[in-house]
Amino acid sequence: MAEALGRSIYRARENSQVSGIRITSNLDSLTHQQFVDDTMLYGLSNLGEARAFKQILDSYSMASRQEINPAKSEVFFFNTKLSIQKEICGILNFNLANLPCKYLGLPSDKGSGSSNMWDGVVEKIKSRVAILKGKWLSFAGKATLVKSVLVVVPIYQLSCFNLPQSKKEILNRHLRSFFWQGAEEKKRISLMAWDKICRPKSARGIGIKDIKV
């Protein structure tokens, strides 16, 4: 059905119902991008184009019996009068949105070398550590939680962006603190270097994945 939606948009472009946006002169205009159930539409900021997209989406909904969620649908404008923005949002029944934003859970306003984009990941780990610290756990239990819960938090963002060295140290510090300190409020001495903890069990480690790696 998603493929059918894409073909409907291509047909609308061929029939000059939608224009899309032209990135380079030697390529066709860009009208949409699709990723699983997420679709991004590109078009000119005029009422005719908005109505054409609305008609395509309505036809898709009728054919597929899938409903578009207006609460999760947004429109981004560039160099467009506010009155036109409101009319287009009214036609599509989508929310007016502003940049920066997140797309597929990742920030769209930061460069790959930005350190601030990792603040959200650090806060997620800190919040989970705060919850888990309230429970009395053995070293085996804490190792399991570190490996299965805490270390996996940054993996999705790491698939797209490099993690700065400063953030690597901060994240590893929270993991070390949870592993050694556990439920106690006072700090405990680390009995083994973290790089040894992260070695595989065959090398006398615990097998925790080092975030640096």
Side-chain angles (χ1 to χ4, degrees), residues 182-193:
E184 297 182 8
E185 295 298 329
K186 62 180 180 180
K187 292 184 179 180
R188 297 177 61 183
I189 297 175
S190 301
L191 303 178
M192 186 182 295

Side-chain angles (χ1 to χ4, degrees), residues 10-181:
Y10 283 132
R11 189 177 298 109
R13 184 185 64 187
E14 292 173 358
N15 296 334
S16 300
Q17 294 174 294
V18 298
S19 303
I21 56 174
R22 187 170 295 278
I23 306 299
T24 59
S25 58
N26 59 338
L27 294 176
D28 291 332
S29 60
L30 179 65
T31 54
H32 65 286
Q33 289 180 303
Q34 294 173 290
F35 182 80
V36 192
D37 64 344
D38 192 273
T39 300
M40 297 183 71
L41 305 174
Y42 301 95
L44 300 180
S45 299
N46 61 59
L47 304 185
E49 193 127 339
R51 293 191 182 98
F53 274 122
K54 176 63 173 175
Q55 183 177 3
I56 293 170
L57 295 176
D58 287 345
S59 298
Y60 169 79
S61 295
M62 291 179 63
S64 67
R65 298 302 180 187
Q66 294 180 333
E67 293 186 1
I68 297 169
N69 190 341
K72 293 184 178 180
S73 303
E74 299 176 321
V75 188
F76 295 87
F77 291 94
F78 301 92
N79 301 321
T80 305
K81 293 181 179 180
L82 184 58
S83 58
I84 301 295
Q85 294 184 24
K86 291 181 178 179
E87 287 191 67
I88 291 177
C89 287
I91 292 172
L92 297 171
N93 194 27
F94 293 167
N95 298 316
L96 176 61
N98 297 299
L99 293 173
C101 68
K102 281 190 174 184
Y103 177 61
L104 300 178
L106 296 176
S108 62
D109 62 317
K110 305 293 183 182
S112 59
S114 174
S115 177
N116 295 335
M117 70 182 301
W118 292 93
D119 291 343
V121 174
V122 174
E123 289 303 317
K124 280 185 181 179
I125 290 184
K126 286 173 63 177
S127 63
R128 295 189 183 187
V129 165
I131 295 172
L132 297 172
K133 275 185 178 180
K135 301 178 181 179
W136 293 94
L137 299 168
S138 64
F139 277 115
K142 286 183 286 187
T144 299
L145 283 173
V146 171
K147 288 190 285 187
S148 62
V149 178
L150 299 181
V151 170
V152 300
V153 171
I155 285 181
Y156 176 55
Q157 191 157 309
L158 280 169
S159 67
C160 298
F161 301 108
N162 291 323
L163 181 63
Q165 182 65 29
S166 60
K167 296 300 180 181
K168 293 178 185 177
E169 296 296 339
I170 292 174
L171 293 176
N172 272 333
R173 185 168 69 244
H174 287 299
L175 300 184
R176 290 196 305 267
S177 174
F178 172 73
F179 182 76
W180 291 111
Q181 189 172 329

